[in-house]
Amino acid sequence: MTTIGTNIKRLRQIHDLNQTEFANRIGVSQGSLSDLESGKSKPAIEMVISICSVFGCSYEWLLTGMEYSTAGNINNTINELVQIIKELNHIEQLELLEIAKIYLKRNKFS
């Protein structure tokens, strides 16, 4: 089982943010974020709520690293997609974005 600090760091990396950028988005100092990621401190419940709200992750995933919903391994799929997309160059990322938009439009009108 992963720690909440490890999950916060993973979330920050998924969003390709440095500690200062991530900390600013959730309203804490970079030093406080560093302490959280290293396990030196634990977040207050208000911070957990803020992180989940700002970054759209579930409380279960942030607290445990696992998803307990009936949706299965959706977060694992999303994480895998993000990792693949990060390996693409900017043009390839834009092309993939356009493909995703086409799928969304097609599904809206189906």
Side-chain angles (χ1 to χ4, degrees):
M1 186 162 114
T2 60
T3 66
I4 189 167
T6 302
N7 294 335
I8 291 171
K9 183 175 182 177
R10 283 178 57 201
L11 186 61
R12 178 176 61 77
Q13 291 171 336
I14 287 169
H15 288 276
D16 199 26
L17 298 170
N18 64 38
Q19 283 187 337
T20 302
E21 294 166 331
F22 191 93
N24 287 338
R25 290 202 187 174
I26 62 170
V28 300
S29 70
Q30 181 274 325
S32 294
L33 179 62
S34 178
D35 287 347
L36 288 169
E37 288 185 1
S38 68
K40 290 181 185 174
S41 67
K42 301 286 184 214
I45 189 65
E46 294 83 7
M47 186 182 300
V48 171
I49 292 168
S50 175
I51 291 169
C52 292
S53 175
V54 170
F55 293 98
C57 64
S58 72
Y59 300 110
E60 293 91 354
W61 180 84
L62 187 63
L63 296 172
T64 68
M66 300 177 71
E67 194 65 48
Y68 299 111
S69 72
T70 57
N73 292 324
I74 274 189
N75 279 342
N76 290 338
T77 302
I78 291 170
N79 287 338
E80 187 175 353
L81 280 168
V82 167
Q83 293 306 315
I84 290 169
I85 291 167
K86 287 172 115 177
E87 293 179 24
L88 301 175
N89 67 43
H90 183 69
I91 300 297
E92 293 167 332
Q93 290 172 348
L94 291 173
E95 290 172 349
L96 190 54
L97 178 61
E98 290 305 312
I99 292 168
K101 287 178 181 179
I102 290 168
Y103 276 102
L104 284 176
K105 280 184 184 178
R106 185 177 69 189
N107 289 336
K108 269 188 180 177
F109 299 110
S110 300

